Amino acid sequence: MAAAAGAEEEAATATTAEEERREGARESEGECGDEGDSDSSADGEDEEKENEAEIQRLEEQLSINAFDYNCHLDLIKLLRQEGELVKLRRARQKMSELFPLTEEIWLDWLKDEIRMASESTDREKVYELFERAVKDYICPEIWLEYAQYSIGGIGQEGGIEKVRSIFERALTAVGLHVTKGTAIWEAYREFENAILETVQPAAGSIPSPEQQQTLCAQLEKIHTLFRRQLGLPLLDMETTYAEYEEWSEDPIPEAVIKNYKKALQQMEKSKPYEEALLVAETPKLAEYQAYIDFEMKAGDPARIQLVYERALAENCLVPDLWARYNQYLDRQLKVKELVLSAHDRAVRNCPWTVGLWNRYLLAMERHRVDHQIVSDNFEKALNAGFIQATDYVEIWQAYLDYLRRRVDFTQDSSKELEELRSAFARAVEYLKQEVEERFSESGDPSCTIMQNWARIEARLCNNMQKARELWDSIMTKGNAKYANMWLEYYNLERAHGDTQHCRKALHRAVQCTSDYPEHVCEVLLSLERIEGTLEDWDAAVQKTENRLARVNEQRVKAAEKEAALVKQEEEKAEQRKQARAEKKASKKAKKMKPGDKRKVEDDDDGEWGQEEEAEQPSKRHKGDGDSTHAEEEVEDMEVETGLFGRSIPARPAASSKQKEKAAASRKDAPRVLHDSAKDNVTVFVSNLSYSMADPEVKLKELFESCGEVVEIRPIFSNRGTFRGYCYVEFVDEKSALQALGLDRRIVEGRPMFVSPCVDKNKNPDFKVFRYSTALEKHKLFISGLPFSCTKEELEEMCKAHGNVKDIRLVTNRAGKPKGLAYVEYENEAQASQAVLKMDGLTIKENVIKVAISNPPLRKFPDKPEAGRASQSMVPRQIYGARGKGRTQLSMVPRALQRQSNLVTKAENGMVQNSPATSSAATEEPKKMSNADFARMLLEK
């Protein structure tokens, strides 16, 4: 025992000296850092005042919203910079109570506390801090720091055993870590080797039996560590094996070699996944999921848990990852401490995710946690700041389910039953007051919580009177017009009430229901057919007939009103059409005034002037861009004004003639049909400027960057003018896919649309929409922005609340801003924080609205019925991949609309319709007025 005590004292002396050297190094680093800060500060006093003001602002902000993660980080950083150690410790304490801290934050905190610890009581506080740190995440660096710090206390009673205990716990937690576990094993062996040096006998002396026994025991500890490590698949196993061969005086046992080779083979299987993690970019979710799936197949719970923990350490704000991990622990390991710890960390990292709270409540109930702790955690959930009203309904329902399972309904009254009723009442009030005030809705329009309460009172408590009171309250909240609500109440009365109340409920339902009154009437008649008297039957028949007669009358009036509105809209459309015609005639008259003046001054040219008037185009299609005629008109008017002494230079006739010649050549060019067999190597380009000169040359320069271009085929009108869209054909499909990346590229001031080339006749439901239309909790939708707001200005404003991944300003087809934007953050927490901070802000006198991106469902027009489709003589327009814009004019010429044999446009050529279609089209159907249409509808 004396030798052991001496060895312990010698080891303590050596390690204390080492600890003093490390502490000195830390202090010197701190001094150097302070000197660097003082040198870099131009005006220390001003900076100190600014920092104090910023600290005060951050503290006030946290008093308003304690869940502001970034605000906590900024406050800790400033306090550490200013050296406010007391405030710094308090700020870290508050943050650790709300959130699990990252490895970096814990290491900084631990190093600061170690530097300040001097007495043995301070050392115990540091130990407690280490214990909290290792529970947040499985971090090899923190465990290594913990073990090394504990070595400094081996001089105390039981110091060596405490160090070994910490090392063993570290091996259990992170010893299987493929890339970082080796460091823990090596540190443990170095510690045992240091102990071995202290028990070695002096040179030339003969050890006593007791010393020999101690020496053999210490050697066996090191042998065991080597053998345990070599049986695990860890990085650089070959080096460890070589080191063991060199250290051991005896040959390595065959069993150890066998385990080593087995672990080496397993390491080779894991190596691809580790290499994928090394080269992958954050967040590495796909790589970690592949690794988890691999370990799941192997079936080692410890390794599965470790990979999950590694993934969560880098993706602590991903709720789905926490949910999968907790599900695995709940269903497979089922270890109370492990399960509850994981659930607690999940809700502290992602408090806004109601699903994690629900699973936490279930886990606590499953492991029989004290009721008070469950209730406290439920209260934390209510204060977590969910982003949807329905989330509060969900968490309340989960808690009420938990309380219901605690009640023994065989007793007439109990404490648990009263607590359940009180909780139901509080839930209803909470949704009405707190939730409705925040979201302008309760989140429970169908009153599901009150319905469940009524079911419990009726079925489990035999208190039908209370159930009726609850249903009466449900109906007064706007649910009396829905048939399904009445039928739900009727079924409850049918099961637990009496016939009188069933009849009364159905009579009220017939009177109040507006969505499906026929269904309610049918249920009432069925009840009376089975249980009613003749008087009951007559009363029910009379009531249902009167009600259905009123309903039909209301429907007729609604149809007439709808028909009147349609007629009114058509009249307004006719008036607008007439107004446009008058406006067009007025513009045409204004254009002819210069010719009239010329006729007055020069009678000899009168006939020429009239002839020119006759040659003026009756209509120039906006978008078709009849540039040749337009330029001729401008040129003629410039010549006329020149005759009256106005010095306006005339354009060169050569350019006009060249354009006219080019248009004429395009007009005479044969129409080329698109080959649908080449759709996979072709893209459709639209929204181009109609005035684009030489679109083939312009677009070829742009698309050659994607791959070799076979052909660019612009589409021209019958007059030879460019129509703003074209087909671009590549050599291979890869180039066509790469060309889609040019979508929305600005070309001559307009966003160019690039879409896959798809035959809409064969794929009528094909749509191209490059952005998600579902709920995205990490993305914001901002409206009300000033049109002058730039992407850079918006990014500068948004990045104060988190890391901005992408910003998209919404524009129209001409590239003009619409005052809308989408902002994508790294995670849901940052997006939620931004909503709270930015909603209602004023930017350049505009008040903006900020919400989580949740676009409404896109509404598509119903397909016309066969009868109505035959009424139209105009062939259906075949749209491109992006559909037809609301302001886009029909491109079907009137001449084609009047032809008896209809033809369908096939991109840049004409394809004759089938004989059946042509023959059917020759008979012009009788036109129906709005009154005829309304009459037809009412007759049906």
Side-chain angles (χ1 to χ4, degrees):
M1 292 298 294
E8 183 172 346
E9 183 178 358
E10 187 175 344
T13 305
T15 51
T16 303
E18 177 63 25
E19 184 66 25
E20 290 175 355
R21 285 196 295 271
R22 292 199 297 115
E23 292 293 337
R26 288 196 185 100
E27 292 175 1
S28 63
E29 287 174 7
E31 292 171 2
C32 291
D34 294 340
E35 291 175 4
D37 292 340
S38 62
D39 292 339
S40 62
S41 175
D43 191 348
E45 293 182 0
D46 292 342
E47 183 180 1
E48 186 176 349
K49 290 180 180 179
E50 290 177 2
N51 289 344
E52 289 178 358
E54 181 65 13
I55 289 171
Q56 185 176 358
R57 186 191 70 80
L58 292 171
E59 289 176 341
E60 291 176 356
Q61 181 65 29
L62 287 174
S63 66
I64 299 172
N65 180 16
F67 288 92
D68 191 334
Y69 189 87
N70 292 327
C71 196
H72 280 286
L73 292 180
D74 294 340
L75 178 61
I76 289 172
K77 182 179 179 181
L78 270 178
L79 290 174
R80 194 165 191 246
Q81 180 180 332
E82 290 297 308
E84 297 280 353
L85 299 180
V86 178
K87 288 185 177 181
L88 176 61
R89 181 181 291 168
R90 187 164 58 244
R92 284 167 167 165
Q93 181 68 28
K94 288 182 178 179
M95 185 177 182
S96 68
E97 291 172 358
L98 296 173
F99 305 100
L101 304 186
T102 63
E103 177 184 323
E104 293 77 14
I105 298 175
W106 272 120
L107 288 175
D108 287 341
W109 189 359
L110 290 165
K111 289 176 182 177
D112 290 342
E113 294 292 344
I114 290 172
R115 188 180 297 114
M116 291 185 291
S118 58
E119 301 177 359
S120 59
T121 55
D122 294 334
R123 176 172 286 275
E124 289 300 322
K125 292 180 180 178
V126 176
Y127 281 141
E128 293 175 3
L129 199 60
F130 268 115
E131 288 295 331
R132 290 173 54 190
V134 296
K135 290 178 181 178
D136 274 357
Y137 298 106
I138 292 183
C139 298
E141 287 81 1
I142 294 179
W143 276 109
L144 189 60
E145 189 74 20
Y146 188 10
Q148 290 176 344
Y149 178 74
S150 66
I151 293 175
I154 62 174
Q156 301 175 355
E157 183 179 355
I160 292 180
E161 292 306 318
K162 184 169 186 175
V163 174
R164 285 176 175 153
S165 173
I166 293 172
F167 266 119
E168 287 294 336
R169 289 174 57 201
L171 291 180
T172 303
V174 295
L176 287 172
H177 197 296
V178 176
T179 57
K180 298 180 179 180
T182 304
I184 303 292
W185 287 99
E186 289 178 350
Y188 196 0
R189 287 204 314 273
E190 287 177 7
F191 168 74
E192 294 295 352
N193 275 318
I195 299 296
L196 179 63
E197 293 294 328
T198 62
V199 299
Q200 290 280 8
S205 64
I206 299 175
S208 64
E210 186 179 19
Q211 289 177 330
Q212 188 67 32
Q213 185 179 358
T214 303
L215 180 62
C216 291
Q218 187 62 29
L219 286 172
E220 185 59 29
K221 284 185 173 63
I222 300 174
H223 274 290
T224 303
L225 283 176
F226 268 118
R227 293 166 184 171
R228 287 169 61 190
Q229 182 180 354
L230 290 174
L232 301 175
L234 299 175
L235 198 65
D236 205 16
M237 294 178 62
E238 297 85 352
T239 304
T240 305
Y241 184 81
E243 183 181 346
Y244 187 31
E245 281 186 317
E246 183 180 354
W247 181 85
S248 178
E249 297 178 355
D250 301 325
I252 300 177
E254 286 296 326
V256 176
I257 296 175
K258 183 179 179 181
N259 290 336
Y260 164 70
K261 291 181 178 179
K262 184 178 178 181
L264 201 59
Q265 291 176 355
Q266 191 173 356
M267 178 62 207
E268 289 300 319
K269 295 179 182 178
S270 303
K271 188 174 292 185
Y273 299 97
E274 293 292 344
E275 291 174 351
L277 289 174
L278 287 175
V279 299
E281 296 181 358
T282 305
K284 308 179 184 179
L285 279 172
E287 290 76 14
Y288 272 119
Q289 188 58 52
Y291 204 169
I292 290 169
D293 294 340
F294 164 74
E295 293 294 352
M296 282 284 194
K297 292 178 181 178
D300 186 341
R303 296 186 61 80
I304 295 171
Q305 181 197 355
L306 183 62
V307 178
Y308 262 122
E309 290 287 353
R310 289 175 60 185
L312 289 167
E314 296 189 43
N315 300 277
C316 58
L317 299 178
V318 180
D320 290 342
L321 187 59
W322 280 109
R324 291 195 295 272
Y325 181 41
N326 289 336
Q327 185 181 67
Y328 171 76
L329 295 177
D330 287 333
R331 295 180 179 179
Q332 302 298 327
L333 295 187
K334 302 180 182 180
V335 179
K336 179 179 178 179
E337 291 75 14
L338 190 61
V339 170
L340 295 180
S341 172
H343 279 287
D344 180 66
R345 289 185 291 141
V347 297
R348 287 170 64 202
N349 272 292
C350 307
W352 64 88
T353 307
V354 68
L356 296 178
W357 285 104
N358 288 342
R359 293 185 181 91
Y360 192 13
L361 292 177
L362 289 171
M364 287 188 287
E365 182 182 3
R366 198 175 290 122
H367 292 282
R368 305 185 184 279
V369 175
D370 184 70
H371 172 61
Q372 187 59 47
I373 297 176
V374 178
S375 299
D376 291 344
N377 279 293
F378 169 69
E379 295 298 331
K380 290 180 183 178
L382 288 181
N383 296 321
F386 299 131
I387 59 178
Q388 296 182 94
T390 53
D391 292 345
Y392 287 93
V393 179
E394 194 174 338
I395 191 64
W396 266 111
Q397 192 58 64
Y399 183 59
L400 292 169
D401 291 344
Y402 157 73
L403 293 178
R404 195 267 306 164
R405 288 189 286 267
R406 296 182 67 244
V407 178
D408 181 7
F409 289 100
T410 59
Q411 301 179 10
D412 294 337
S413 178
S414 64
K415 178 182 177 182
E416 290 79 8
L417 179 58
E418 293 305 317
E419 184 178 4
L420 174 62
R421 285 173 170 159
S422 175
F424 266 116
R426 184 190 168 199
V428 173
E429 189 66 21
Y430 187 90
L431 295 177
K432 180 181 177 181
Q433 299 291 335
E434 302 290 336
V435 178
E436 195 165 346
E437 180 180 347
R438 178 180 171 188
F439 296 97
S440 301
E441 59 164 327
S442 67
D444 191 17
S446 299
C447 301
T448 55
I449 287 181
M450 294 183 70
Q451 287 190 47
N452 290 334
W453 188 3
R455 292 189 192 101
I456 290 173
E457 293 288 355
R459 297 176 184 176
L460 301 177
C461 301
N462 298 318
N463 188 353
M464 197 61 203
Q465 183 60 34
K466 180 64 177 178
R468 292 182 184 120
E469 292 175 4
L470 290 169
W471 267 105
D472 185 65
S473 178
I474 291 171
M475 291 304 183
T476 59
K477 295 181 182 297
N479 292 301
K481 58 185 177 181
Y482 300 117
N484 67 315
M485 300 296 288
W486 282 107
L487 294 178
E488 186 70 30
Y489 172 46
Y490 166 75
N491 290 330
L492 190 68
E493 280 285 1
R494 193 76 171 147
H496 307 284
D498 52 55
T499 304
Q500 181 181 355
H501 283 92
C502 289
R503 181 177 290 112
K504 184 178 178 181
L506 289 177
H507 276 273
R508 288 180 61 194
V510 169
Q511 192 69 28
C512 300
T513 301
S514 60
D515 55 350
Y516 298 106
E518 294 88 350
H519 193 186
V520 176
C521 291
E522 183 180 348
V523 174
L524 175 58
L525 293 175
S526 297
L527 173 69
E528 301 300 358
R529 180 174 285 112
I530 297 173
E531 299 188 16
T533 63
L534 178 60
E535 290 77 10
D536 295 332
W537 172 261
D538 290 340
V541 170
Q542 183 179 357
K543 194 175 190 68
T544 55
E545 287 179 350
N546 292 339
R547 176 58 178 162
L548 293 179
R550 287 197 302 272
V551 169
N552 289 332
E553 184 180 347
Q554 291 171 359
R555 289 173 180 172
V556 169
K557 289 181 179 179
E560 290 176 349
K561 186 177 180 181
E562 182 68 22
L565 289 174
V566 172
K567 184 176 180 180
Q568 186 179 357
E569 288 296 326
E570 288 185 351
E571 290 175 354
K572 289 182 180 179
E574 187 65 28
Q575 292 174 2
R576 289 194 295 268
K577 183 178 179 181
Q578 186 176 354
R580 286 196 297 268
E582 292 174 358
K583 187 176 180 182
K584 190 183 298 182
S586 175
K587 287 184 178 180
K588 184 176 181 181
K590 289 180 181 180
K591 291 177 182 177
M592 300 313 301
K593 285 182 180 180
D596 295 340
K597 290 181 181 181
R598 175 173 177 172
K599 181 179 179 181
V600 173
E601 294 189 7
D602 193 350
D603 292 336
D604 294 338
D605 292 337
E607 294 179 1
W608 180 85
Q610 292 174 1
E611 185 179 359
E612 180 190 67
E613 180 180 349
E615 293 177 355
Q616 291 292 333
S618 61
K619 179 180 179 181
R620 293 200 311 276
H621 292 279
K622 182 179 179 182
D624 270 355
D626 192 359
S627 58
T628 305
H629 289 269
E631 288 168 3
E632 288 176 356
E633 183 181 345
V634 174
E635 181 180 355
D636 292 341
M637 292 187 68
E638 287 178 349
V639 172
E640 290 174 2
T641 53
L643 290 174
F644 290 102
R646 300 173 188 171
S647 57
I648 299 177
R651 294 184 180 179
S655 61
S656 177
K657 291 180 179 179
Q658 289 175 358
K659 291 183 178 180
E660 183 178 355
K661 185 177 179 181
S665 64
R666 293 167 182 161
K667 180 179 179 181
D668 298 334
R671 303 300 186 193
V672 180
L673 296 177
H674 172 65
D675 185 1
S676 60
K678 297 181 178 180
D679 282 350
N680 62 324
V681 294
T682 307
V683 294
F684 179 71
V685 183
S686 60
N687 202 45
L688 298 170
S689 174
Y690 296 111
S691 60
M692 180 182 289
D694 295 328
E696 298 97 326
V697 177
K698 178 75 175 178
L699 296 176
K700 189 169 185 179
E701 295 175 355
L702 191 62
F703 283 96
E704 277 183 337
S705 61
C706 303
E708 185 179 351
V709 177
V710 175
E711 179 189 15
I712 293 181
R713 189 167 68 260
I715 308 303
F716 298 98
S717 67
N718 291 332
R719 290 182 294 274
T721 56
F722 183 44
R723 297 184 61 183
Y725 61 93
C726 66
Y727 295 89
V728 181
E729 181 183 340
F730 293 91
V731 172
D732 52 28
E733 185 176 355
K734 182 180 179 182
S735 301
L737 293 174
Q738 189 174 350
L740 296 176
L742 297 178
D743 187 37
R744 309 277 173 167
R745 175 73 63 86
I746 302 300
V747 178
E748 295 191 358
R750 294 173 64 87
M752 173 182 68
F753 297 160
V754 184
S755 311
C757 191
V758 176
D759 188 350
K760 295 303 289 292
N761 289 326
K762 298 179 180 178
N763 300 277
D765 297 328
F766 179 78
K767 296 290 179 185
V768 174
F769 196 69
R770 61 183 295 188
Y771 304 108
S772 173
T773 57
L775 173 66
E776 296 179 279
K777 295 184 179 180
H778 66 291
K779 185 181 292 186
L780 304 183
F781 173 68
I782 304 178
S783 59
L785 290 169
F787 293 152
S788 59
C789 181
T790 64
K791 183 176 180 180
E792 290 74 19
E793 292 174 342
L794 186 59
E795 183 177 7
E796 186 66 27
M797 180 178 64
C798 294
K799 70 181 184 181
H801 310 295
N803 296 326
V804 178
K805 294 180 64 177
D806 184 41
I807 291 181
R808 175 168 62 91
L809 295 177
V810 181
T811 61
N812 59 18
R813 295 174 69 88
K816 304 296 182 182
K818 298 176 70 174
L820 308 174
Y822 289 91
V823 180
E824 182 179 358
Y825 283 94
E826 279 192 348
N827 52 61
E828 298 175 20
Q830 296 176 358
S832 302
Q833 190 66 35
V835 170
L836 296 175
K837 296 288 186 66
M838 294 170 57
D839 188 32
L841 283 181
T842 302
I843 302 177
K844 298 180 181 179
E845 300 182 356
N846 285 39
V847 178
I848 65 171
K849 293 183 178 180
V850 184
I852 298 296
S853 176
N854 188 16
L857 294 176
R858 305 184 72 191
K859 296 182 180 180
F860 300 100
D862 296 333
K863 295 183 179 179
E865 299 175 3
R868 294 177 60 187
S870 63
Q871 295 174 12
S872 176
M873 295 298 293
V874 182
R876 183 183 178 190
Q877 185 76 15
I878 301 175
Y879 306 137
R882 298 182 184 278
K884 179 178 178 182
R886 286 181 293 177
T887 60
Q888 183 179 347
L889 299 177
S890 174
M891 304 302 291
V892 180
R894 289 193 183 93
L896 294 181
Q897 297 180 22
R898 289 194 294 268
Q899 292 176 1
S900 59
N901 293 328
L902 297 182
V903 291
T904 305
K905 300 188 74 175
E907 305 308 338
N908 201 23
M910 310 299 287
V911 178
Q912 194 70 22
N913 273 1
S914 64
T917 307
S918 300
S919 62
T922 57
E923 298 179 5
E924 184 175 352
K926 181 181 177 181
K927 296 182 178 178
M928 297 178 65
S929 66
N930 294 324
D932 294 334
F933 181 76
R935 195 177 302 111
M936 180 187 69
L937 180 64
L938 294 177
E939 288 174 357
K940 291 182 178 181

